[in-house]
Amino acid sequence: MTANDINNGILAGLTKVATLFVQKMKQRLSSGNYPQGNSGRGTTSIQDATSIGTAQTNGDISFIDVNISLAQAPFAAAFEWGSGLHAKRGGAALYLIAAKNADQLHFWWEKGGKWFVGKKLPFGHPGIAAKPYIAPTLAENKAEFRKMIGKELKAAIMLGVPPVTVIEVKL
């Protein structure tokens, strides 16, 4: 057994854990009310914006990145931690809603029962309440992730252990 065998076992375990984590997270996202993206606005689902990096070692630390592209799914962080008045990270505040790509806003305001036309809303958007999908996936699968890493590490260690020879002695 060499240090390289052990490191390879850790990296293999991290890759398997990251793959299972993403699979479980995507299942959670598919079963709830999460946005599926809007191709007209250039966004995609959180599932499609998720990628797994390559397991690496840097000094004494081994790691693997699981990335969610906020450029592809800009709402991903808001669903994990909330936004606006519901934000669990950063300051809670209303979002200003103002015309950006046109001279004015123009939409049917359901709550007001009329059309809204103007440069900005006289009130802000409250944001969305958190509907976490990362933290619960980690918490619910932590024991399984540990077992996977342990199994790969054990397999790597066993690579260097010579086979046991059984000698039978009869008296």
Side-chain angles (χ1 to χ4, degrees):
M1 165 187 64
T2 68
N4 198 37
D5 292 335
I6 292 173
N7 189 51
N8 288 339
I10 292 170
L11 296 178
L14 286 173
T15 302
K16 287 182 178 181
V17 165
T19 301
L20 180 61
F21 166 72
V22 168
Q23 175 190 350
K24 298 280 188 176
M25 184 184 75
K26 286 181 176 184
Q27 285 174 353
R28 176 181 297 282
L29 288 165
S30 296
S31 67
N33 293 326
Y34 296 94
Q36 296 307 305
N38 181 332
S39 59
R41 291 188 178 173
T43 64
T44 186
S45 67
I46 298 169
Q47 296 94 313
D48 290 339
T50 302
S51 63
I52 301 171
T54 302
Q56 303 175 47
T57 299
N58 186 358
D60 292 342
I61 298 173
S62 295
F63 61 92
I64 190 166
D65 292 326
V66 174
N67 299 299
I68 300 173
S69 169
L70 295 180
Q72 293 177 299
F75 42 78
F79 275 85
E80 183 68 19
W81 298 293
S83 67
L85 295 177
H86 308 282
K88 295 189 187 316
R89 288 188 169 185
L94 290 170
Y95 287 109
L96 171 67
I97 300 175
K100 195 156 108 178
N101 299 323
D103 290 338
Q104 57 187 351
L105 299 168
H106 185 203
F107 62 89
W108 177 254
W109 184 23
E110 188 74 35
K111 193 172 182 179
K114 61 181 179 178
W115 284 96
F116 177 85
V117 178
K119 286 203 169 280
K120 67 179 183 176
L121 289 177
F123 49 87
H125 190 286
I128 62 169
K131 190 171 181 182
Y133 54 94
I134 298 171
T137 301
L138 288 171
E140 290 169 7
N141 296 283
K142 184 171 33 174
E144 189 171 357
F145 295 158
R146 284 184 179 154
K147 284 179 190 173
M148 289 176 83
I149 295 270
K151 183 178 177 181
E152 292 300 322
L153 185 56
K154 180 179 177 182
I157 291 170
M158 295 306 291
L159 282 175
V161 176
V164 176
T165 304
V166 177
I167 299 174
E168 190 177 328
V169 177
K170 291 185 180 183
L171 299 173

